[in-house]
Amino acid sequence: MSPRRIAVVGASAAGLAAAEALRRFGWTGTLTLVGDEPHPPYDRPPLSKQLLQGAWQPDKLHLRAADQLDALGLDLRLGTRATGLDTATRTLTLDSGERLACDGVIVATGVAARTLPEAAGLDGVHTLRTLEDALALKERLSGTGHRLVVIGNGVLGCEAAAVARELGHEVALVGREALPMARTVGTQIGELLAAEHHERGVRLHTAAVDGFEADGDGPARRVTAVRTADGTRLPADTVLVAIGSEPAVGWLHGDPALDTTDGLRCDAYCAAAPGVYAAGDVARWQHPVHGRDLRVEHRMNATEQGMAAARNLLAELAESLEGDEALAPAAGRERRPFTPVPYFWSDQYGLKIQAYGVLGGADRSEATVVDPDSRKAVALYGRDGRATGVLAIGLPPRQVRGLRALIATPVPWEEAREGLRNALA
Amino acid sequence: MNITLDADKCCAAGQCVLVAPEVFDQRDEDGIVVLLDAAPPADQHDAVREAAAICPAAVIKVDE
Ligand SMILES: Cc1cc2nc3c(=O)[nH]c(=O)nc-3n(C[C@H](O)[C@H](O)[C@H](O)COP(=O)(O)OP(=O)(O)OC[C@H]3O[C@@H](n4cnc5c(N)ncnc54)[C@H](O)[C@@H]3O)c2cc1C
Ligand code: SF4
């Protein structure tokens, strides 16, 4: 009999959480962790914050110390890309040509930054997803007096704009949405964020980007401006394209058993096929409480879902591999639906934005600005008469934690409003 | 069990406090994690391991 093996594909937050949980829950077989980046698992949220700002060096981003990684006894394949998965035989193919027969696979390949086709081969145009991306942008923004245009006013664009302003650069933030992050946080909180960015000297533009202007030829072609559809020319020596991301599912397209529309589709247990689970930014799963498919690109979810996928995979294997020594007794667990209360935070200037639950897809939202000067605010988000999400800016931690309970499961709108009033009283 | 924190990394998510309120707390001003007990009793160990695993900023290190 060949040795038992579980492979986790994607060596970042979700993949690491899955690998650790597999060991914690008792998997003693081979544990292969495949990551196409050359680095040991590192954290992404600081890339647009402390790293870009210059407060942290890259080594601070490591998710685990070397001894903690060693203790997991991994078959660690860094700088290695998975190129295919045959779900029928659970065979994983690597870019080296190697084929690994697996008992279980956890897909945690995340998402990749989207870019604009016009940006290809233009010096000065950046995206921000990986450590290399962040170091390149940071290098670009070293020194003073740069003119940065950020395309896309979602969370990432807003954070980078804030850091660049704090570093003293000229910053223009261009978005198709009129207000920063409005698609996530709604118009009232969007207005509050717009006011903050405006006050800090960021120029806000609402427009679709039409293309770039550049000088020079060949590889020396450097961006000089961003053109928008309404005819505005925004001078720039540096551009950040922050227009969202695409789930990294290209390598799975060969298998007809998998649905890879907008991420790898899973059931409520995070299973995409027998013995194949997914976690993190790449996973779209059926949230039993919200009653619809969710794909959550938040740091907290990567960890929680990695752990859930690990637990459920082991529970499934425990049935088929009963009595096998690769499954220590601790693995006697049952599968559980993954029903998290999603959580995200964002830091912009001194503002800490925190949210619980589901904000996207809301058909109603209501914000209360508690203190306009310090931008202290809370907001409630809902759909079909129920409150599903809550957001806080500048609230004390105890109060923020209290808000989680309000929408842990969707509740009637009026009930949540009442709860929010009490929480603030 | 011995717990150490790299509190500088903390993003004030408060997940550790939700999971192990007897071991972790948050500063009122900025939500940064506070360690209440660096060597908690055995009945807290599972909760602490869970908190360390779930912390979205890899702040909590547990040596056993
Ligand atoms: C700059 C930035 C700031 C952020 N800030 C916040 C924040 O403040 N708050 C918040 O809640 N969230 C934030 N996020 C989101 C958060 O970082 C993600 O939700 C989280 O990183 C998702 O983890 P993951 O492991 O699912 O995916 P990823 O971190 O994307 O990791 C996937 C890994 O898989 C690798 N991979 C892909 N395809 C293959 C393949 N075929 N073979 C092998 N390896 C492969 C990738 O290279 C990558 O290393 C931020 C993200 C970024 C980029
Ligand atoms: S869970 Fe981690 S990031 Fe959140 S408060 Fe605790 S230590 Fe800080």
Side-chain angles (χ1 to χ4, degrees):
Chain A
M1 194 178 66
S2 61
R4 297 282 167 211
R5 180 197 300 273
I6 293 177
V8 178
V9 188
S12 189
L16 176 70
E20 284 188 335
L22 286 167
R23 286 297 189 221
R24 213 166 47 249
F25 298 154
W27 178 255
T28 58
T30 302
L31 181 49
T32 302
L33 180 61
V34 185
D36 62 357
E37 296 187 75
H39 317 284
Y42 65 90
D43 213 9
R44 276 174 228 284
L47 295 178
S48 55
K49 307 177 182 71
Q50 294 90 341
L51 188 97
L52 193 58
Q53 216 260 328
W56 292 8
Q57 294 308 308
D59 57 1
K60 184 105 179 163
L61 267 46
H62 290 312
L63 284 171
R64 295 291 179 263
D67 61 325
Q68 291 174 297
L69 277 186
D70 286 348
L72 294 174
L74 298 174
D75 167 29
L76 184 59
R77 316 286 187 97
L78 295 177
T80 304
R81 170 177 287 272
T83 52
L85 174 65
D86 176 24
T87 54
T89 59
R90 292 180 208 172
T91 306
L92 187 68
T93 313
L94 305 180
D95 57 1
S96 58
E98 194 177 352
R99 294 163 65 83
L100 301 175
C102 303
D103 296 290
V105 175
I106 295 179
V107 175
T109 45
V111 297
R114 282 175 56 202
T115 185
L116 295 166
E118 298 85 358
L122 257 192
D123 186 45
V125 182
H126 296 253
T127 53
L128 181 47
R129 180 77 200 172
T130 65
L131 177 57
E132 282 74 17
D133 293 342
L135 290 173
L137 184 62
K138 175 174 183 271
E139 168 72 26
R140 189 82 195 184
L141 293 176
S142 64
T144 49
H146 284 279
R147 288 196 289 197
L148 172 71
V149 174
V150 180
I151 302 174
N153 57 4
V155 187
L156 187 67
C158 287
E159 289 187 355
V163 169
R165 270 309 294 153
E166 285 172 331
L167 292 172
H169 304 301
E170 272 182 45
V171 180
L173 183 59
V174 193
R176 269 198 295 228
E177 301 279 326
L179 296 165
M181 286 172 54
R183 238 188 15 205
T184 317
V185 302
T187 51
Q188 287 165 289
I189 296 295
E191 277 163 10
L192 183 135
L193 293 175
E196 179 74 9
H197 281 279
H198 180 74
E199 209 165 273
R200 302 279 184 160
V202 173
R203 282 172 298 136
L204 302 166
H205 297 270
T206 309
V209 166
D210 189 39
F212 300 99
E213 289 178 14
D215 60 19
D217 288 308
R221 246 164 59 86
R222 295 172 146 263
V223 70
T224 54
V226 172
R227 268 185 289 102
T228 61
D230 61 6
T232 312
R233 180 181 182 275
L234 302 167
D237 53 48
T238 310
V239 173
L240 173 63
V241 181
I243 55 171
S245 46
E246 302 281 354
V249 291
W251 65 285
L252 294 168
H253 282 160
D255 194 305
L258 300 174
D259 176 353
T260 54
T261 333
D262 185 31
L264 180 54
R265 178 151 200 255
C266 304
D267 64 12
Y269 300 94
C270 309
V276 178
Y277 288 72
D281 286 11
V282 74
R284 180 161 60 92
W285 90 104
Q286 235 180 332
H287 194 302
V289 177
H290 288 277
R292 56 186 164 123
D293 280 2
L294 293 182
R295 192 170 64 75
V296 177
E297 292 188 23
H298 301 157
R299 177 63 181 79
M300 183 69 210
N301 187 67
T303 300
E304 282 189 294
Q305 199 167 17
M307 290 164 60
R311 151 188 281 278
N312 287 340
L313 171 60
L314 283 186
E316 183 188 324
L317 293 183
E319 287 177 13
S320 54
L321 304 181
E322 215 201 340
D324 192 284
E325 60 180 26
L327 281 167
R333 292 162 191 272
E334 68 211 41
R335 297 208 312 164
R336 281 197 213 140
F338 181 54
T339 60
V341 180
Y343 167 84
F344 88 87
W345 82 96
S346 172
D347 298 315
Q348 292 164 39
Y349 312 103
L351 302 182
K352 181 165 290 288
I353 303 159
Q354 292 175 288
Y356 289 110
V358 179
L359 279 53
D363 57 24
R364 109 198 262 188
S365 70
E366 181 177 85
T368 310
V369 177
V370 184
D371 174 8
D373 294 330
S374 66
R375 314 246 186 254
K376 200 167 155 187
V378 292
L380 204 58
Y381 302 81
R383 191 170 144 123
D384 303 332
R386 291 176 174 262
T388 55
V390 61
L391 172 146
I393 304 180
L395 245 52
R398 219 171 299 276
Q399 267 179 354
V400 177
R401 287 202 310 269
L403 298 182
R404 183 183 190 271
L406 280 183
I407 50 77
T409 55
V411 289
W413 181 260
E414 289 304 327
E415 193 181 318
R417 277 185 90 196
E418 175 77 26
L420 193 56
R421 266 199 299 277
N422 293 337
L424 292 177
Chain B
M1 171 177 280
N2 183 46
I3 305 170
T4 45
L5 297 180
D6 194 350
D8 194 21
K9 286 189 176 177
C10 174
C11 66
Q15 300 294 333
C16 54
V17 188
L18 288 170
V19 175
E22 295 182 26
V23 181
F24 303 101
D25 198 358
Q26 288 175 280
R27 281 202 310 238
D28 278 336
E29 317 84 79
D30 51 11
I32 300 299
V33 62
V34 177
L35 190 55
L36 301 176
D37 188 351
D43 65 355
Q44 292 293 314
H45 288 187
D46 274 347
V48 169
R49 283 183 206 113
E50 166 105 8
I54 218 166
C55 167
V59 171
I60 303 166
K61 188 165 187 251
V62 179
D63 291 299
E64 311 218 19

